[in-house]
Amino acid sequence: MNDISRTRSAELYEKAQKYFPGGVNSPVRAFKSVYGTPLFIERGDGCFLWDADGNKFIDFCCSWGPLILGHNHAAIRENVIDAVARGMSFGAPTVLENELAGLILNNNRMIEKIRFVSSGTEAVMSALRLARGYTKRDKILKFEGCYHGHVDSMLVKAGSGLVTFGETSSAGVPKSFADETIVVPLNDRKAVEEAYRQFPGQIAAVIIEGVPANNGLLIQDKEYIGFLREITSTNKSLLIFDEVITGFRLGFEGAAKYYEIRPDIITYGKIIGGGMPVGAYGASAEIMSRISPEGAVYQAGTLSGNPVAMAAGIGQLTELLRPGFYEELNRKTEAFAQSIRDFAASRNYKLKVFSIGSIFWFAFTGKNIQKAEDIDVLSMEQFKMLHRELLNRGIYLGPSGYEVGFISAAHTKEELETAKRAIFDSLDIIKPTISYA
Ligand SMILES: *Cc1c(COP(=O)(O)O)cnc(C)c1O
């Protein structure tokens, strides 16, 4: 099969290289881990994308998660147009902030108060400052394989050893910042216990993704999350769930409800803004009272609670509250994932399809994967081939094998059938018979 035409996208990318570092405004968009140049997207509708060359795709990236209703959903679009007609920003309170907060707080028992910001990164940065201000401690424990946005102190990776100070994983992060971050492997109780032994009374918070979904889909056991709840409480640290992906995705109340575990602070992003730049963090009224102007932890934003972004969030979250919304979406995803598992098994292909809620991830292995170190980099060559075969068959996945896929309410049975057939055909070409890991 010939590769799709990318003439126009390639021209646009060449021009973009003159304007932006690497030709993009966020690194993974550059297609460095897959074949070809990035596709420039012209428009999206429902579960479909069209690129600048007129190619049409079924989209499983969904803007990296925000578009749980698919592209160009009428309810969101109409809300946004309404808001835009009344002005784009005032730097003063509007009723739309109350409305979105009301929708969330009246239907999410995990938090009592919320603060809106403009990205997931900003939500995490603020949550960490709040945890430090609240506990009067400095160290944060994070997990290898969890991504929390490009916050300085979170751009750290594990060194060697069970419990390590973070080593910076980006130039420009002072070592002294990384020294306040402790990095341990996921799914390893001993490592967390050891960290508390080594740094008694110093750990402000443990931060974990609701379900780690930025470095493969590393589904943790419920008991392990319960253990984190317990050890943080015992040691008077806070437990932060970074639910920028899982919030409003696993269900309206996110991973916290999924585990039936109440964290101390939760961060949101992606879905909460319906495709507009919104992030948020929330906690009990008591913890949130520490935030400025009520408390001493400073946090602000010129465009925070932006009316157009709030209107988009209101449009999206209102739809999510319809009875049966998540049951239907999650059932559809599980059936999709299971049929690919069945196909792979029937052919003896070494492919695992991990899935939870409406998130899925292809891993070229025969093993269960719960830690970053379980992922074999060699398996990424297989993903690279899969990505190309799927693009050629009109299926768009995020351009990296470490990224998860998302299914939206706009993916109908028919389109999921089409996608499945394309995936089966692609697998029959790649024939993944080696189990990596
Ligand atoms: C995407 C993401 C972030 C960062 O959000 P941005 O809006 O890209 O800044 C933080 N944490 C998690 C878990 C994410 O998936």
Side-chain angles (χ1 to χ4, degrees):
M1 184 176 273
N2 289 333
D3 282 345
I4 50 164
S5 148
R6 297 196 207 189
T7 319
R8 184 76 188 124
S9 278
E11 280 168 16
L12 290 169
Y13 186 52
E14 202 178 306
K15 196 161 214 179
Q17 308 246 27
K18 297 197 181 104
Y19 299 142
F20 312 116
V24 287
N25 286 298
S26 195
V28 73
R29 297 180 194 173
F31 268 50
K32 291 289 178 211
S33 321
V34 294
Y35 291 104
T37 49
L39 303 181
F40 276 63
I41 305 303
E42 204 146 272
R43 72 186 179 95
D45 198 63
C47 69
F48 296 109
L49 278 181
W50 287 264
D51 72 8
D53 290 279
N55 299 305
K56 180 183 178 186
F57 304 94
I58 301 174
D59 179 20
F60 289 98
C61 178
C62 297
S63 189
W64 303 104
L67 307 184
I68 193 168
L69 300 175
H71 296 270
N72 194 22
H73 189 277
I76 302 177
R77 183 180 64 240
E78 282 158 20
N79 268 16
V80 166
I81 290 172
D82 250 31
V84 166
R86 278 176 277 132
M88 309 256 235
S89 180
F90 310 110
T94 68
V95 67
L96 297 173
E97 289 154 88
N98 284 5
E99 275 181 34
L100 183 56
L103 268 180
I104 296 166
L105 298 176
N106 294 330
N107 295 289
N108 181 339
R109 289 156 291 181
M110 300 298 163
I111 54 171
E112 293 171 352
K113 277 197 175 180
I114 193 163
R115 172 64 66 83
F116 291 120
V117 295
S118 300
S119 71
T121 295
E122 212 187 326
V124 169
M125 183 183 79
S126 309
L128 296 177
R129 186 179 307 133
L130 173 57
R132 286 169 162 150
Y134 184 82
T135 59
K136 302 192 169 59
R137 298 175 180 180
D138 290 340
K139 296 210 186 307
I140 303 286
L141 185 145
K142 84 174 281 285
F143 297 91
E144 175 79 2
C146 281
Y147 175 70
H148 301 292
H150 66 95
V151 184
D152 276 333
S153 65
M154 295 290 100
L155 288 181
V156 296
K157 57 179 189 232
S160 49
L162 191 60
V163 176
T164 55
F165 282 125
E167 291 175 14
T168 67
S169 59
S170 163
V173 177
K175 189 181 170 302
S176 57
F177 287 24
D179 282 349
E180 299 299 353
T181 307
I182 302 159
V183 187
V184 302
L186 281 162
N187 192 34
D188 187 336
R189 293 182 189 220
K190 279 208 182 66
V192 178
E193 287 163 352
E194 183 54 31
Y196 273 102
R197 260 195 298 277
Q198 280 187 39
F199 307 103
Q202 296 175 58
I203 300 176
V206 169
I207 184 168
I208 187 166
E209 282 183 64
V211 174
N214 277 288
N215 187 86
L217 185 60
L218 307 172
I219 301 170
Q220 304 296 294
D221 301 331
K222 189 174 171 178
E223 294 70 32
Y224 178 69
I225 306 297
F227 156 78
L228 295 179
R229 176 63 286 180
E230 230 173 86
I231 195 165
T232 44
S233 298
T234 310
N235 289 280
K236 299 191 165 49
S237 316
L238 302 187
L239 177 63
I240 305 175
F241 273 12
D242 179 355
E243 297 226 44
V244 170
I245 284 187
T246 50
F248 312 100
R249 169 64 65 178
L250 295 193
F252 200 86
E253 295 172 293
K257 172 71 176 131
Y258 175 83
Y259 296 124
E260 297 286 357
I261 285 171
R262 191 177 170 139
D264 298 297
I265 306 179
I266 308 183
T267 58
Y268 298 107
K270 300 196 168 113
I271 289 176
I272 199 174
M276 297 290 275
V278 182
Y281 60 102
S284 65
E286 199 254 323
I287 292 178
M288 290 304 278
S289 73
R290 305 303 173 89
I291 295 290
S292 176
E294 211 175 329
V297 177
Y298 189 73
Q299 188 271 308
T302 302
L303 294 175
S304 293
N306 174 269
V308 182
M310 294 292 107
I314 293 164
Q316 176 138 285
L317 297 202
T318 303
E319 294 296 315
L320 305 187
L321 286 168
R322 287 185 195 280
F325 176 87
Y326 287 103
E327 287 78 0
E328 164 75 18
L329 179 61
N330 297 352
R331 202 181 315 119
K332 205 159 67 175
T333 306
E334 184 49 32
F336 177 73
Q338 190 57 41
S339 69
I340 301 167
R341 285 180 200 123
D342 291 344
F343 176 81
S346 74
R347 295 281 210 274
N348 247 326
Y349 293 155
K350 299 297 181 224
L351 175 79
K352 284 223 170 219
V353 186
F354 294 94
S355 69
I356 185 166
S358 45
I359 311 173
F360 67 88
W361 180 54
F362 297 137
F364 292 94
T365 182
K367 267 183 38 174
N368 192 24
I369 294 187
Q370 288 185 298
K371 285 184 200 258
E373 68 191 41
D374 293 340
I375 303 172
D376 187 335
V377 290
L378 289 175
S379 69
M380 292 300 152
E381 278 306 308
Q382 306 265 300
F383 177 82
K384 202 171 161 179
M385 290 192 279
L386 177 68
H387 189 267
R388 170 195 227 158
E389 294 300 330
L390 287 179
L391 275 189
N392 289 340
R393 289 168 176 80
I395 308 296
Y396 188 86
L397 292 183
S400 160
Y402 290 95
E403 301 286 355
V404 297
F406 296 98
I407 291 184
S408 79
H411 289 80
T412 67
K413 211 172 163 188
E414 190 190 338
E415 285 124 16
L416 290 172
E417 277 303 318
T418 307
K420 266 175 358 196
R421 279 196 304 273
I423 291 165
F424 297 167
D425 290 348
S426 300
L427 289 173
D428 275 340
I429 287 178
I430 304 164
K431 297 193 192 310
T433 49
I434 299 168
S435 176
Y436 292 93

